[in-house]
Structures are given as structure tokens and as C-alpha cells.
Amino acid sequence: MGLSSTQQEAERGILLTTVDKMTRWAQKSSVWPATFGLACCAIEMMSVTSSRYDLARFGSEAFRASPRQADLMIVAGRVSQKMAPVLRTIWEQMPEPKWVISMGACASSGGVFDNYAIIQGVDHVVPVDVYVPGCPPTPEALMFGILKLREKIQMGLPPKYLELTQGGAS
Amino acid sequence: MKLTDPEILDRLQTRFPGSLEVVPSIDQPTVTVPREMLLAFAEHVKRVEGYVMFNDVLAADWFPARPRFEVVYHVYHPEKYQRLRFKTFVDEDQPLPSMVDLWAGANWPEREAYDLFGIVFEGHPQLTRIYLPDDWEGHPLRKDYPTAGPRVD
């Protein structure tokens, strides 16, 4: 009797999973963004970490000043022609796996800035996983985009740059 | 118009008879100077009249009119609290004399006008692009520059 009850109690405290699932769960629960605010969208990006919206619930509140510690680049604002090489360098410095969220109309398509100075969509420069619409997007919208990214990670879908290099989506 | 140096236009016209054209303006005395006289005029304005502070160089493109560029200079007299604006017209293949030797503050504004309009200032110590990347082609604020953004599709 004593032995079986111990075994039952032990089984109650154990969860079985695969290493893969476990890794994905850990990855999606600590997606750390790089500090990369380019324009007014950055204000909304900052407020998403505040206590009112509390991005910390999803483990993404730690904005890293170094791209080497970041998993996610939130392109928050219009990307000028002069900023594009800088953005690309920062993206290349991020360790893999890495994701990119294009936040707002300007980052996604150039927005109202249809002129010589602005890149017409940041996906010309880096591969984008999630596009968040809005001008600027509300913090809720950005949070929704981050949640969509978490879903993507949980499902085991590869980041966009792997999709592109490995040829065809899985 | 705010005038703390009310006779400035009369004095300038006496010094350069028949060559200056007074432009009606609501904020400060304004004259148009022929391109050939620009340097002599600027030297007089600074050394004799005492407008020792240089504010800005601006340009406007009146394409397809000829000459197409209107270059506008703003200077200031810090003791009389008086501003003065003088401008000149220039075409794209005509260089202008640089004001850097007279007013050091003209350095960056002239580079800006060169960068965005392609106006060449002769005698400028370092006439290179100031805003755009060094390998940029064209001058974006010209009227014949494409307005839409570049698409890489």
C-alpha cells in the first residue's frame, strides 16, 4: 500500500512531453525584443511594456539593448534609405532563431511616405514574420501580433528567413 | 515689417545703384542681387553694414523657368536686431560663390543646398553630401526628381 501511494503521488507530479515541444514552449515564452524604435510607433511599443498593457505576462517585456541578446526585432516606424543598412546589420547580429515584426503602415509598406527617402516596406530589407497594421497600431494590436508570433512558434513553423532559405514553406 | 535698421535698403541701393531689386515682403527687408555681384554685395553687407551673423541658405526650384534655382540668404545684425534677406537666381550649370570665407556658418547650409538641389558653391572647403548617403544619385528636392518612393519588386 505504501509503495503504490508513493508511486501515484509521483505520477501526479510528472508531466510527459517531448523535448521539441518543451523547447518551443520555452522559446515562445521568452521572446525578447531588440530595442529598435524608429518613429512614433515606438511610443506605442514602449507603452505595451507598461503596467497597463503588461507585456511581461507573455515574457516579452525585456527589451534588449544588444541585438545579440534579442530574439525578435520589432521594426517600429518608417525605415529610411540611410537606416536600412543599419537595420540589416542589427538583424544579422541577432542569434538564431530570430523573428521580425513589422509594426505599422510605414514599416509594412512605406505608408504615407511614398518618397525617395523611405524604404517602401521593410520586407525589402529583412524577412518579416508578422505584419501589424495601423497608424500607429494600438498597444493591443502590437500585443496581438506578438501573440500571433507565439502561436507560430508553438506550432513549430520556421521563422520567415528559414522559410525563404530552405525553399518553400513547411 | 519689423525695422530696427530702417535705412538699410536705401543705403544698399546707394552703394549698388541700379542693380538691386527690392522685393516686397512682410517680415524683413529683401533684395534680389545679380549673381555676378553676389560676393561683393555679401562682403559689403557683412564688413560695412555689420550683418555679422549668418542664419541660413535656402533654395527653391522654379523648374521649368530659367534660371531655375532661387537661392536665398538670411543674415542678422545682432546689435541692431535687424534681419536681412538677399537672394539670387542661378541655373544648374552655374556655380555660386561660397560664403564660408565671410560667414563660417554658411558651411553646412551650403552643403545642404548642394545635397538636395545640386547647387555648386565655388570655394567651399568641403562640398560633399550632408544628409544623403555619399553614393546617392541625383538631388531629391529638384522638381524633375521622381516623387514616388523606389520600389524593389
Side-chain angles (χ1 to χ4, degrees):
Chain A
M1 184 190 146
L3 181 67
S4 67
S5 75
T6 315
Q7 196 177 345
Q8 273 174 4
E9 246 166 57
E11 278 172 3
R12 224 180 286 142
I14 293 176
L15 282 171
L16 290 180
T17 181
T18 62
V19 174
D20 192 34
K21 255 191 184 168
M22 173 81 187
T23 313
R24 280 189 237 147
W25 172 76
Q27 270 179 351
K28 78 153 193 179
S29 307
S30 63
V31 181
W32 286 5
T35 309
F36 201 60
L38 289 174
C40 39
C41 280
I43 305 296
E44 307 297 310
M45 185 177 76
M46 283 180 253
S47 50
V48 88
T49 62
S50 68
S51 54
R52 175 163 183 153
Y53 299 100
D54 198 13
L55 194 61
R57 288 175 288 166
F58 310 112
S60 296
E61 84 286 4
F63 278 77
R64 306 316 291 184
S66 164
R68 296 177 203 284
Q69 300 169 351
D71 312 296
L72 166 67
M73 175 185 263
I74 302 176
V75 183
R78 75 284 178 283
V79 185
S80 67
Q81 301 271 359
K82 224 173 171 179
M83 191 47 127
V86 181
L87 183 134
R88 176 76 195 187
T89 309
I90 288 178
W91 179 80
E92 277 169 2
Q93 284 175 344
M94 286 162 55
E96 297 188 32
K98 50 194 169 188
W99 295 271
V100 176
I101 288 181
S102 167
M103 181 184 180
C106 297
S108 303
S109 69
V112 294
F113 301 108
D114 187 7
N115 62 28
Y116 66 94
I118 303 296
I119 300 273
Q120 302 296 305
V122 74
D123 43 11
H124 293 311
V125 185
V126 290
V128 176
D129 293 275
V130 178
Y131 296 86
V132 180
C135 185
T138 57
E140 289 95 335
L142 177 62
M143 202 184 283
F144 185 75
I146 294 175
L147 291 180
K148 280 286 165 201
L149 184 73
R150 284 162 57 92
E151 275 176 34
K152 183 177 172 171
I153 299 170
Q154 176 131 54
M155 281 191 283
L157 298 176
K160 185 72 179 178
Y161 70 96
L162 285 182
E163 253 179 56
L164 295 174
T165 51
Q166 288 169 0
S170 61
Chain B
M1 195 190 317
K2 196 185 172 207
L3 275 183
T4 48
D5 184 10
E7 284 88 38
I8 175 65
L9 287 178
D10 297 336
R11 286 205 307 276
L12 285 174
Q13 277 180 315
T14 321
R15 174 67 183 75
F16 299 94
S19 47
L20 302 184
E21 185 190 335
V22 176
V23 183
S25 77
I26 56 165
D27 49 355
Q28 51 193 281
T30 306
V31 285
T32 302
V33 187
R35 188 172 68 92
E36 303 74 38
M37 299 183 50
L38 189 66
L39 200 57
F41 178 85
E43 272 190 35
H44 177 78
V45 161
K46 187 193 172 188
R47 299 203 201 286
V48 181
E49 297 292 348
Y51 285 73
V52 292
M53 185 174 156
F54 192 87
N55 285 338
D56 209 352
V57 178
L58 314 162
D61 187 2
W62 295 103
F63 183 80
R66 296 285 165 180
R68 64 186 284 186
F69 296 120
E70 180 184 16
V71 184
V72 187
Y73 299 84
H74 283 193
V75 290
Y76 183 62
H77 196 307
E79 280 152 21
K80 293 179 179 170
Y81 310 114
Q82 176 66 55
R83 293 175 191 279
L84 174 70
R85 181 193 291 128
F86 57 97
K87 47 192 183 180
T88 189
F89 286 87
V90 67
D91 230 331
E92 52 211 293
D93 49 354
Q94 293 172 327
L96 273 180
S98 172
M99 299 291 159
V100 178
D101 290 340
L102 277 176
W103 292 283
N107 191 325
W108 286 10
E110 284 184 356
R111 281 178 67 190
E112 180 185 6
Y114 166 74
D115 191 359
L116 301 176
F117 286 94
I119 298 166
V120 176
F121 294 92
E122 262 181 351
H124 191 286
Q126 189 206 357
L127 196 63
T128 53
R129 290 190 181 277
I130 187 167
Y131 292 141
L132 295 170
D134 291 334
D135 55 352
W136 194 274
E137 283 175 18
H139 303 283
L141 289 194
R142 287 188 173 186
K143 290 287 183 219
D144 49 0
Y145 194 88
T147 52
R151 286 184 174 69
V152 204
D153 292 325

